[in-house]
Amino acid sequence: MRVVVLTGISRRALDELLRNPYRTLEIRSARNVEALRRTGEGDRLFLTYTTYADVTAGTEGLLTRLLNVESMEQRIPWEDSDEREVTVCRAQVRLIGLGRVAEIVERNGILLVRVREMLPHEMDIG
């Protein structure tokens, strides 16, 4: 089964998800927002600290299930950016387990991966 990857997730958010299996993430990356738009509630996601360009076979992260996703527009101060609004997605996820990428497929700028679930002693994040 292939799952959508959300890349560049902060280590703090991943650590908090390991401590509490339910978490709402605020996603701002345009690539991750687009990936969330192509998924539905109940779909699996693979969350990793690794950047999009650096995801390879062997990349480790967290396997989660998407419980709810909400898209919203946030206004930002004009002086700080050339844009005045940014799209943000709030994604509520539930931890399924730890995983390692086995195979990667890219479709229209979205990474889909086959993930091998791992036991905690196999994981080496950090």
Side-chain angles (χ1 to χ4, degrees), residues 18-19 60-63 95-100 116-126:
L18 283 170
R19 284 192 293 276
E60 298 175 344
L62 303 180
L63 192 57
L95 179 66
I96 295 173
L98 309 172
R100 179 176 285 150
R116 183 179 76 82
E117 290 190 53
M118 298 169 50
L119 298 172
H121 70 274
E122 294 180 278
M123 197 73 167
D124 185 32
I125 288 184

PDB file of all heavy atoms in Angstrom, residues 18-19 60-63 95-100 116-126:
ATOM      1  N   LEU A  18       4.808  11.027  19.222  1.00  0.00           N
ATOM      2  CA  LEU A  18       5.232   9.766  19.836  1.00  0.00           C
ATOM      3  C   LEU A  18       4.758   9.668  21.287  1.00  0.00           C
ATOM      4  O   LEU A  18       4.442   8.583  21.766  1.00  0.00           O
ATOM      5  CB  LEU A  18       6.754   9.629  19.783  1.00  0.00           C
ATOM      6  CG  LEU A  18       7.343   9.227  18.436  1.00  0.00           C
ATOM      7  CD1 LEU A  18       8.857   9.359  18.456  1.00  0.00           C
ATOM      8  CD2 LEU A  18       6.923   7.825  18.060  1.00  0.00           C
ATOM      9  N   ARG A  19       4.707  10.809  21.977  1.00  0.00           N
ATOM     10  CA  ARG A  19       4.268  10.814  23.382  1.00  0.00           C
ATOM     11  C   ARG A  19       2.752  10.739  23.509  1.00  0.00           C
ATOM     12  O   ARG A  19       2.227  10.171  24.452  1.00  0.00           O
ATOM     13  CB  ARG A  19       4.791  12.058  24.092  1.00  0.00           C
ATOM     14  CG  ARG A  19       6.269  11.988  24.435  1.00  0.00           C
ATOM     15  CD  ARG A  19       6.686  13.083  25.379  1.00  0.00           C
ATOM     16  NE  ARG A  19       6.625  14.410  24.813  1.00  0.00           N
ATOM     17  CZ  ARG A  19       7.583  14.972  24.083  1.00  0.00           C
ATOM     18  NH1 ARG A  19       8.684  14.313  23.814  1.00  0.00           N
ATOM     19  NH2 ARG A  19       7.450  16.191  23.626  1.00  0.00           N
ATOM     20  N   GLU A  60      13.339   7.350   7.577  1.00  0.00           N
ATOM     21  CA  GLU A  60      12.491   6.945   8.701  1.00  0.00           C
ATOM     22  C   GLU A  60      11.508   8.045   9.065  1.00  0.00           C
ATOM     23  O   GLU A  60      11.755   9.221   8.822  1.00  0.00           O
ATOM     24  CB  GLU A  60      13.359   6.596   9.899  1.00  0.00           C
ATOM     25  CG  GLU A  60      14.270   5.422   9.622  1.00  0.00           C
ATOM     26  CD  GLU A  60      15.231   5.141  10.755  1.00  0.00           C
ATOM     27  OE1 GLU A  60      15.408   6.016  11.629  1.00  0.00           O
ATOM     28  OE2 GLU A  60      15.794   4.040  10.772  1.00  0.00           O
ATOM     29  N   GLY A  61      10.384   7.639   9.653  1.00  0.00           N
ATOM     30  CA  GLY A  61       9.375   8.597  10.078  1.00  0.00           C
ATOM     31  C   GLY A  61       8.249   7.899  10.798  1.00  0.00           C
ATOM     32  O   GLY A  61       8.373   6.768  11.256  1.00  0.00           O
ATOM     33  N   LEU A  62       7.116   8.592  10.879  1.00  0.00           N
ATOM     34  CA  LEU A  62       5.949   8.090  11.600  1.00  0.00           C
ATOM     35  C   LEU A  62       4.812   7.815  10.626  1.00  0.00           C
ATOM     36  O   LEU A  62       4.500   8.647   9.769  1.00  0.00           O
ATOM     37  CB  LEU A  62       5.487   9.096  12.649  1.00  0.00           C
ATOM     38  CG  LEU A  62       6.517   9.523  13.688  1.00  0.00           C
ATOM     39  CD1 LEU A  62       5.902  10.521  14.658  1.00  0.00           C
ATOM     40  CD2 LEU A  62       7.077   8.319  14.425  1.00  0.00           C
ATOM     41  N   LEU A  63       4.189   6.682  10.774  1.00  0.00           N
ATOM     42  CA  LEU A  63       3.031   6.311   9.987  1.00  0.00           C
ATOM     43  C   LEU A  63       1.790   6.720  10.785  1.00  0.00           C
ATOM     44  O   LEU A  63       1.661   6.361  11.963  1.00  0.00           O
ATOM     45  CB  LEU A  63       3.045   4.805   9.736  1.00  0.00           C
ATOM     46  CG  LEU A  63       2.079   4.254   8.700  1.00  0.00           C
ATOM     47  CD1 LEU A  63       2.294   4.916   7.346  1.00  0.00           C
ATOM     48  CD2 LEU A  63       2.256   2.759   8.584  1.00  0.00           C
ATOM     49  N   LEU A  95      -1.325   8.428  15.503  1.00  0.00           N
ATOM     50  CA  LEU A  95      -0.139   7.617  15.285  1.00  0.00           C
ATOM     51  C   LEU A  95      -0.522   6.150  15.097  1.00  0.00           C
ATOM     52  O   LEU A  95      -1.285   5.598  15.880  1.00  0.00           O
ATOM     53  CB  LEU A  95       0.809   7.753  16.481  1.00  0.00           C
ATOM     54  CG  LEU A  95       2.101   6.947  16.409  1.00  0.00           C
ATOM     55  CD1 LEU A  95       2.992   7.454  15.292  1.00  0.00           C
ATOM     56  CD2 LEU A  95       2.832   7.022  17.741  1.00  0.00           C
ATOM     57  N   ILE A  96       0.023   5.549  14.055  1.00  0.00           N
ATOM     58  CA  ILE A  96      -0.140   4.110  13.820  1.00  0.00           C
ATOM     59  C   ILE A  96       1.128   3.394  14.246  1.00  0.00           C
ATOM     60  O   ILE A  96       1.079   2.366  14.903  1.00  0.00           O
ATOM     61  CB  ILE A  96      -0.448   3.811  12.342  1.00  0.00           C
ATOM     62  CG1 ILE A  96      -1.790   4.404  11.951  1.00  0.00           C
ATOM     63  CG2 ILE A  96      -0.400   2.314  12.073  1.00  0.00           C
ATOM     64  CD1 ILE A  96      -2.103   4.297  10.481  1.00  0.00           C
ATOM     65  N   GLY A  97       2.272   3.963  13.860  1.00  0.00           N
ATOM     66  CA  GLY A  97       3.522   3.317  14.211  1.00  0.00           C
ATOM     67  C   GLY A  97       4.716   3.983  13.560  1.00  0.00           C
ATOM     68  O   GLY A  97       4.612   5.041  12.949  1.00  0.00           O
ATOM     69  N   LEU A  98       5.839   3.342  13.695  1.00  0.00           N
ATOM     70  CA  LEU A  98       7.086   3.814  13.121  1.00  0.00           C
ATOM     71  C   LEU A  98       7.274   3.157  11.766  1.00  0.00           C
ATOM     72  O   LEU A  98       6.823   2.025  11.555  1.00  0.00           O
ATOM     73  CB  LEU A  98       8.253   3.450  14.035  1.00  0.00           C
ATOM     74  CG  LEU A  98       8.097   3.855  15.504  1.00  0.00           C
ATOM     75  CD1 LEU A  98       9.225   3.267  16.327  1.00  0.00           C
ATOM     76  CD2 LEU A  98       8.056   5.354  15.635  1.00  0.00           C
ATOM     77  N   GLY A  99       7.951   3.838  10.853  1.00  0.00           N
ATOM     78  CA  GLY A  99       8.121   3.246   9.537  1.00  0.00           C
ATOM     79  C   GLY A  99       9.401   3.682   8.850  1.00  0.00           C
ATOM     80  O   GLY A  99      10.049   4.647   9.247  1.00  0.00           O
ATOM     81  N   ARG A 100       9.738   2.935   7.815  1.00  0.00           N
ATOM     82  CA  ARG A 100      10.911   3.223   6.983  1.00  0.00           C
ATOM     83  C   ARG A 100      10.480   3.070   5.529  1.00  0.00           C
ATOM     84  O   ARG A 100       9.819   2.098   5.161  1.00  0.00           O
ATOM     85  CB  ARG A 100      12.038   2.252   7.308  1.00  0.00           C
ATOM     86  CG  ARG A 100      13.276   2.487   6.458  1.00  0.00           C
ATOM     87  CD  ARG A 100      14.420   1.590   6.851  1.00  0.00           C
ATOM     88  NE  ARG A 100      14.970   2.096   8.099  1.00  0.00           N
ATOM     89  CZ  ARG A 100      15.550   1.330   9.016  1.00  0.00           C
ATOM     90  NH1 ARG A 100      15.644   0.031   8.845  1.00  0.00           N
ATOM     91  NH2 ARG A 100      16.040   1.866  10.112  1.00  0.00           N
ATOM     92  N   ARG A 116       7.611   0.259   5.274  1.00  0.00           N
ATOM     93  CA  ARG A 116       7.725  -0.942   6.097  1.00  0.00           C
ATOM     94  C   ARG A 116       7.585  -0.513   7.543  1.00  0.00           C
ATOM     95  O   ARG A 116       8.350   0.318   8.029  1.00  0.00           O
ATOM     96  CB  ARG A 116       9.079  -1.622   5.886  1.00  0.00           C
ATOM     97  CG  ARG A 116       9.208  -2.930   6.668  1.00  0.00           C
ATOM     98  CD  ARG A 116      10.540  -3.610   6.422  1.00  0.00           C
ATOM     99  NE  ARG A 116      11.638  -2.975   7.122  1.00  0.00           N
ATOM    100  CZ  ARG A 116      11.936  -3.181   8.399  1.00  0.00           C
ATOM    101  NH1 ARG A 116      11.196  -3.960   9.141  1.00  0.00           N
ATOM    102  NH2 ARG A 116      12.974  -2.583   8.954  1.00  0.00           N
ATOM    103  N   GLU A 117       6.571  -1.056   8.232  1.00  0.00           N
ATOM    104  CA  GLU A 117       6.395  -0.720   9.642  1.00  0.00           C
ATOM    105  C   GLU A 117       7.538  -1.317  10.448  1.00  0.00           C
ATOM    106  O   GLU A 117       8.033  -2.395  10.142  1.00  0.00           O
ATOM    107  CB  GLU A 117       5.047  -1.222  10.155  1.00  0.00           C
ATOM    108  CG  GLU A 117       3.897  -0.431   9.571  1.00  0.00           C
ATOM    109  CD  GLU A 117       2.578  -0.747  10.224  1.00  0.00           C
ATOM    110  OE1 GLU A 117       2.495  -0.674  11.466  1.00  0.00           O
ATOM    111  OE2 GLU A 117       1.638  -1.064   9.486  1.00  0.00           O
ATOM    112  N   MET A 118       7.962  -0.587  11.470  1.00  0.00           N
ATOM    113  CA  MET A 118       9.127  -0.969  12.256  1.00  0.00           C
ATOM    114  C   MET A 118       8.778  -1.098  13.731  1.00  0.00           C
ATOM    115  O   MET A 118       7.811  -0.503  14.203  1.00  0.00           O
ATOM    116  CB  MET A 118      10.226   0.091  12.099  1.00  0.00           C
ATOM    117  CG  MET A 118      10.714   0.248  10.686  1.00  0.00           C
ATOM    118  SD  MET A 118      11.762   1.678  10.466  1.00  0.00           S
ATOM    119  CE  MET A 118      12.930   1.508  11.760  1.00  0.00           C
ATOM    120  N   LEU A 119       9.606  -1.829  14.438  1.00  0.00           N
ATOM    121  CA  LEU A 119       9.514  -1.915  15.889  1.00  0.00           C
ATOM    122  C   LEU A 119      10.346  -0.782  16.486  1.00  0.00           C
ATOM    123  O   LEU A 119      11.313  -0.323  15.864  1.00  0.00           O
ATOM    124  CB  LEU A 119      10.029  -3.268  16.377  1.00  0.00           C
ATOM    125  CG  LEU A 119       9.239  -4.472  15.866  1.00  0.00           C
ATOM    126  CD1 LEU A 119       9.941  -5.768  16.234  1.00  0.00           C
ATOM    127  CD2 LEU A 119       7.822  -4.447  16.407  1.00  0.00           C
ATOM    128  N   PRO A 120      10.010  -0.298  17.691  1.00  0.00           N
ATOM    129  CA  PRO A 120      10.736   0.838  18.271  1.00  0.00           C
ATOM    130  C   PRO A 120      12.251   0.650  18.351  1.00  0.00           C
ATOM    131  O   PRO A 120      13.002   1.594  18.122  1.00  0.00           O
ATOM    132  CB  PRO A 120      10.129   0.969  19.674  1.00  0.00           C
ATOM    133  CG  PRO A 120       8.764   0.402  19.535  1.00  0.00           C
ATOM    134  CD  PRO A 120       8.887  -0.712  18.521  1.00  0.00           C
ATOM    135  N   HIS A 121      12.733  -0.547  18.618  1.00  0.00           N
ATOM    136  CA  HIS A 121      14.177  -0.737  18.743  1.00  0.00           C
ATOM    137  C   HIS A 121      14.910  -0.662  17.407  1.00  0.00           C
ATOM    138  O   HIS A 121      16.114  -0.522  17.356  1.00  0.00           O
ATOM    139  CB  HIS A 121      14.484  -2.064  19.450  1.00  0.00           C
ATOM    140  CG  HIS A 121      14.171  -3.270  18.633  1.00  0.00           C
ATOM    141  ND1 HIS A 121      12.912  -3.825  18.614  1.00  0.00           N
ATOM    142  CD2 HIS A 121      14.940  -4.011  17.802  1.00  0.00           C
ATOM    143  CE1 HIS A 121      12.922  -4.874  17.802  1.00  0.00           C
ATOM    144  NE2 HIS A 121      14.134  -5.015  17.288  1.00  0.00           N
ATOM    145  N   GLU A 122      14.157  -0.718  16.281  1.00  0.00           N
ATOM    146  CA  GLU A 122      14.777  -0.594  14.958  1.00  0.00           C
ATOM    147  C   GLU A 122      14.963   0.862  14.540  1.00  0.00           C
ATOM    148  O   GLU A 122      15.716   1.154  13.635  1.00  0.00           O
ATOM    149  CB  GLU A 122      13.887  -1.263  13.897  1.00  0.00           C
ATOM    150  CG  GLU A 122      13.738  -2.743  14.031  1.00  0.00           C
ATOM    151  CD  GLU A 122      12.837  -3.281  12.940  1.00  0.00           C
ATOM    152  OE1 GLU A 122      11.604  -3.198  13.103  1.00  0.00           O
ATOM    153  OE2 GLU A 122      13.367  -3.755  11.930  1.00  0.00           O
ATOM    154  N   MET A 123      14.256   1.769  15.208  1.00  0.00           N
ATOM    155  CA  MET A 123      14.208   3.167  14.808  1.00  0.00           C
ATOM    156  C   MET A 123      15.421   3.923  15.299  1.00  0.00           C
ATOM    157  O   MET A 123      15.879   3.718  16.411  1.00  0.00           O
ATOM    158  CB  MET A 123      12.933   3.804  15.379  1.00  0.00           C
ATOM    159  CG  MET A 123      12.560   5.061  14.747  1.00  0.00           C
ATOM    160  SD  MET A 123      11.929   4.731  13.113  1.00  0.00           S
ATOM    161  CE  MET A 123      11.217   6.271  12.743  1.00  0.00           C
ATOM    162  N   ASP A 124      15.931   4.834  14.461  1.00  0.00           N
ATOM    163  CA  ASP A 124      17.083   5.651  14.827  1.00  0.00           C
ATOM    164  C   ASP A 124      16.874   7.075  14.329  1.00  0.00           C
ATOM    165  O   ASP A 124      17.581   7.551  13.466  1.00  0.00           O
ATOM    166  CB  ASP A 124      18.361   5.063  14.229  1.00  0.00           C
ATOM    167  CG  ASP A 124      19.595   5.819  14.683  1.00  0.00           C
ATOM    168  OD1 ASP A 124      19.590   6.328  15.820  1.00  0.00           O
ATOM    169  OD2 ASP A 124      20.554   5.894  13.905  1.00  0.00           O
ATOM    170  N   ILE A 125      15.820   7.743  14.850  1.00  0.00           N
ATOM    171  CA  ILE A 125      15.560   9.136  14.459  1.00  0.00           C
ATOM    172  C   ILE A 125      16.477  10.026  15.278  1.00  0.00           C
ATOM    173  O   ILE A 125      16.574   9.908  16.473  1.00  0.00           O
ATOM    174  CB  ILE A 125      14.090   9.538  14.714  1.00  0.00           C
ATOM    175  CG1 ILE A 125      13.200   8.857  13.703  1.00  0.00           C
ATOM    176  CG2 ILE A 125      13.916  11.041  14.623  1.00  0.00           C
ATOM    177  CD1 ILE A 125      11.747   9.259  13.802  1.00  0.00           C
ATOM    178  N   GLY A 126      17.091  10.980  14.597  1.00  0.00           N
ATOM    179  CA  GLY A 126      17.865  11.956  15.338  1.00  0.00           C
ATOM    180  C   GLY A 126      19.265  11.951  14.946  1.00  0.00           C
ATOM    181  O   GLY A 126      20.076  12.742  15.194  1.00  0.00           O
TER     182      GLY A 126
END
